[in-house]
Amino acid sequence: MGFFTAVGVEGLKIRKSKMIWITLAVFTAAPLMAGFFIFVLKNPEFAKSSGLIGDKAQLFGLADWPTYLSMLAQIIAVGGILVFGFVTSWVFGREYADRTIKDLLTLPLHRLSIVMAKFLAVFITNFLLGAYVVIIGVIIGFFIKLPAWSMEAVLDGGFVLLVTTILTSTLSTPPAFVACYSRGYLAPIGFILFMVVLAQVIAAAGYGAFFPWAVPALFSGIAGTGAVLGLSSFFAVFFTGLIGLAATLYWWLYADQH
Amino acid sequence: MNSVIRLSNVSKRYKKFLAVENISLEIGKGEIYGFIGLNGSGKTTTIKMLLGMVHPSQGDCYIGNQKVGLANHDIWRKVGSLVETPYAYPELTVKENLDVFRRLRGVLDSSSVHQVMDQLKLTAYADRKAGKLSLGNAQRLGIAKALLHKPEILILDEPSNGLDPTGIIEIRELFQHLASDMGVTIFMSSHLLSEVAKISTRIGVIHQGQLIKEVKADQFKSLLSKRLVVDARNREKALGAMNRAGYSSVFNRKGEIETTAEYAVQHPDDISRYLVSEGVPPTHLALEEEELEAYFLRVISKREG
């Protein structure tokens, strides 16, 4: 009862916040841009007349549904690390920034329930944001009349999108700990940006499969079909998520809360 | 005493700094315990330990018979608290903030939100976002959250922060009503010492992490030093007369003559007659009592030697 009330309250705080509108804006712009690139790719005469955009658009290959769904997965993989991490940073860090943590610590609820309610609210929000990207993306795909629509393509693309969302969302637990440790939301945002940059460097060096923050993007096909991920890559992501969860719980249960 | 709040040899150490040292105290049902001390004396750390926010390095805190700790989170059903500055979710309205905590505290009666808003005069601001409230109303919201679930115990750190004089009186009367009529036990710290003196049934003085003095309200008056203040047309002559008679006197900051001699304080009429007989009739004669601030500073300076 208390746990689900806490989840509901976290949902209300998210719904009423400016943060959710910022993330929605980012996740609206991303499929629009993807749709635009696909549109450019689908219309070579427009690509020729538009110079640089046309050259970049060629990088994505075919202008069809499988390519477009893969692009959406890449958006969630890279954008999700930033956006989902931002959601987590806000959900945990705002309690310190607004000093409302003091109210939460004296609730007749076990602190474990409060932390798990926050994480559940974060994961639900992340999945809804992921679903939002897909819905907007599919509408845009139909609007620009992409070819090669098939149930098989949609199921394949949907599977990649779902796993990418799960992987990206799992990586949002370490920022929660950083938010609690630093008692705010600036440090976790810095942490996320640092991890995204580090993921680029490590992936470029060829070790992306071993670095958790590079795995969702590699799984989504950002490096083409060449990147093969082993079980160890998925394990690394879930282990990182577990460490973030355990560290956050430890902080709430045993650290002095000033 | 059947204690409702108990601290047993509680200490808190931050590396080399001892913030709170071996504090023990017990507070009974319906008491208003005023906890006073200078900034950094350990007031807030003690309150945070009592609320389970900070873990004691030594000793234990109890609410009723239950030890404050992770396993006993149920004790917070009977405790309302406010620590330091007021806080609320700025994106939620006053009503939503209260409703959120009503739900989280498991209070089923949704009318409790309206009741507490009425009690704290927040009804006019019910639909205003908490982030847009004045400091005084934000403080009222903080107190409303603490009272929402009709707690048996209130633990308040600086509850008068940001309130205007009318607000301070209203809150004082509310606390007095809660303690005397409803049996609510109140543990409060404040830097408004006169406010603490007016409301508390017992006062504890904390200095450099130690509880150096505990005084009951009914004993308190007798501890405040009294002085006789005299003025005359010829102040020099009057001072000389007072000192000659053995009433050790000095000029105060206003240039009046001041003495704390016991006989003079107890028999001001004799002093008046004596000065008349000495040819320096007093133009002003008043018995003044030490303020809590002065008493507090005297206790601390005595401690520091």
Side-chain angles (χ1 to χ4, degrees):
Chain A
M1 173 69 184
F3 172 74
F4 291 107
T5 304
V7 176
V9 164
E10 290 304 325
L12 174 74
K13 288 190 274 186
I14 291 170
R15 278 203 323 274
K16 292 271 182 171
S17 70
K18 285 180 185 155
M19 175 275 296
I20 198 67
W21 296 108
I22 296 168
T23 52
L24 277 174
V26 171
F27 266 0
T28 304
L32 278 172
M33 282 169 63
F36 178 68
F37 277 119
I38 289 285
F39 175 77
V40 169
L41 200 62
K42 193 165 159 275
N43 299 278
E45 67 286 354
F46 182 79
K48 278 176 197 163
S49 64
S50 59
L52 191 61
I53 294 175
D55 291 343
K56 279 201 170 177
Q58 291 300 327
L59 293 172
F60 293 107
L62 297 169
D64 57 13
W65 274 104
T67 309
Y68 184 55
L69 289 173
S70 170
M71 276 178 69
L72 292 179
Q74 288 160 37
I75 287 167
I76 290 175
V78 181
I81 289 191
L82 294 168
V83 173
F84 296 169
F86 179 53
V87 172
T88 316
S89 305
W90 185 85
V91 166
F92 282 88
R94 67 85 43 94
E95 304 291 359
Y96 290 92
D98 293 328
R99 299 184 299 278
T100 41
I101 180 84
K102 290 166 189 169
D103 277 332
L104 298 184
L105 295 173
T106 51
L107 286 176
L109 268 177
H110 200 288
R111 290 183 192 173
L112 190 82
S113 299
I114 300 170
V115 177
M116 294 312 287
K118 280 186 173 289
F119 274 123
L120 185 57
V122 164
F123 287 130
I124 292 170
T125 306
N126 290 350
F127 274 90
L128 290 176
L129 285 170
Y132 175 77
V133 169
V134 173
I135 291 165
I136 294 279
V138 168
I139 291 169
I140 292 168
F142 278 114
F143 185 73
I144 58 175
K145 297 187 176 76
L146 281 178
W149 168 267
S150 72
M151 191 48 76
E152 195 187 343
V154 170
L155 286 177
D156 283 352
F159 173 75
V160 173
L161 276 162
L162 181 68
V163 175
T164 305
T165 306
I166 292 170
L167 291 172
T168 313
S169 216
T170 304
L171 290 171
S172 63
T173 61
F177 169 69
V178 179
C180 296
Y181 182 77
S182 65
R183 303 175 208 283
Y185 34 62
L186 285 178
I189 290 170
F191 170 81
I192 296 157
L193 290 172
F194 177 70
M195 285 303 164
V196 169
V197 172
L198 203 61
Q200 302 291 316
V201 175
I202 291 173
Y207 297 102
F210 305 104
F211 187 64
W213 279 269
V215 171
L218 292 174
F219 179 80
S220 70
I222 205 162
T225 49
V228 179
L229 294 173
L231 210 58
S232 58
S233 301
F234 298 101
F235 177 75
V237 171
F238 285 106
F239 187 65
T240 305
L242 215 58
I243 287 177
L245 177 70
T248 310
L249 279 172
Y250 178 85
W251 187 262
W252 272 70
L253 297 180
Y254 302 111
D256 285 341
Q257 306 286 342
H258 295 284
Chain B
M1 186 198 296
N2 237 349
S3 56
V4 174
I5 294 173
R6 184 158 64 93
L7 274 75
S8 172
N9 300 314
V10 172
S11 297
K12 181 65 190 178
R13 181 178 284 281
Y14 296 106
K15 293 179 183 166
K16 286 183 180 172
F17 175 64
L18 193 58
V20 172
E21 188 180 352
N22 213 26
I23 286 188
S24 291
L25 60 86
E26 291 189 38
I27 304 169
K29 188 172 167 61
E31 265 199 275
I32 302 180
Y33 191 96
F35 199 47
I36 58 175
L38 299 172
N39 286 341
S41 59
K43 292 191 302 286
T44 301
T45 303
T46 306
I47 286 181
K48 283 183 175 172
M49 285 194 283
L50 189 52
L51 289 170
M53 295 175 186
V54 166
H55 304 282
S57 310
Q58 176 200 305
D60 292 306
C61 303
Y62 296 87
I63 299 286
N65 297 322
Q66 289 180 290
K67 190 171 146 183
V68 172
L70 285 174
N72 292 330
H73 53 84
D74 246 17
I75 57 177
W76 306 123
R77 280 190 201 288
K78 50 187 174 187
V79 178
S81 63
L82 176 67
V83 182
E84 293 174 311
T85 47
Y87 35 86
Y89 295 114
E91 72 277 11
L92 302 186
T93 64
V94 167
K95 195 174 153 191
E96 284 168 341
N97 263 288
L98 290 168
D99 199 52
V100 156
F101 283 97
R102 178 190 67 79
R103 288 161 60 195
L104 288 172
R105 288 194 167 278
V107 179
L108 298 175
D109 180 13
S110 60
S111 69
S112 59
V113 169
H114 291 280
Q115 283 169 20
V116 83
M117 282 195 300
D118 281 347
Q119 203 172 21
L120 271 300
K121 297 193 174 158
L122 282 169
T123 309
Y125 306 98
D127 297 319
R128 186 174 293 186
K129 291 202 169 160
K132 305 267 182 200
L133 291 176
S134 66
L135 183 59
N137 283 327
Q139 187 72 1
R140 282 172 188 268
L141 176 57
I143 296 170
K145 279 193 288 177
L147 296 177
L148 180 68
H149 53 296
K150 298 184 173 63
E152 296 166 29
I153 300 163
L154 279 173
I155 299 171
L156 309 161
D157 191 13
E158 304 283 359
S160 304
N161 255 357
L163 294 174
D164 58 23
T166 317
I168 290 174
I169 294 167
E170 280 170 19
I171 297 301
R172 183 204 309 154
E173 287 173 351
L174 173 64
F175 290 163
Q176 281 170 330
H177 160 69
L178 290 171
S180 59
D181 302 336
M182 319 283 279
V184 174
T185 307
I186 303 175
F187 180 84
M188 58 176 276
S189 80
S190 179
H191 68 280
L192 298 173
L193 302 184
S194 57
E195 199 47 40
V196 173
K198 279 177 192 149
I199 192 173
S200 305
T201 52
R202 198 146 54 103
I203 294 172
V205 180
I206 183 171
H207 183 56
Q208 292 174 344
Q210 295 178 322
L211 188 66
I212 58 170
K213 191 99 183 168
E214 269 192 304
V215 188
K216 281 189 179 170
D218 50 4
Q219 298 170 335
F220 188 61
K221 279 272 178 192
S222 64
L223 293 171
L224 296 177
S225 72
K226 292 175 183 67
R227 60 189 182 274
L228 186 69
V229 179
V230 180
D231 205 1
R233 284 204 175 82
N234 189 339
R235 286 173 168 171
E236 290 290 343
K237 197 175 169 187
L239 181 73
M242 289 289 284
N243 282 324
R244 267 199 315 279
Y247 309 124
S248 175
S249 304
V250 290
F251 285 126
N252 66 16
R253 273 181 297 180
K254 290 184 201 163
E256 299 163 327
I257 299 143
E258 205 175 275
T259 180
T260 53
E262 201 179 332
Y263 184 85
V265 167
Q266 284 171 358
H267 303 94
D269 45 343
D270 285 357
I271 299 300
S272 176
R273 274 194 291 272
Y274 166 70
L275 288 172
V276 169
S277 70
E278 287 293 307
V280 272
T283 54
H284 170 84
L285 193 116
L287 199 58
E288 291 183 1
E289 198 174 62
E290 187 182 28
E291 296 284 332
L292 177 61
E293 279 86 353
Y295 170 74
F296 172 65
L297 292 171
R298 184 157 59 87
V299 169
I300 286 175
S301 58
K302 200 183 281 178
R303 180 77 183 189
E304 286 177 344

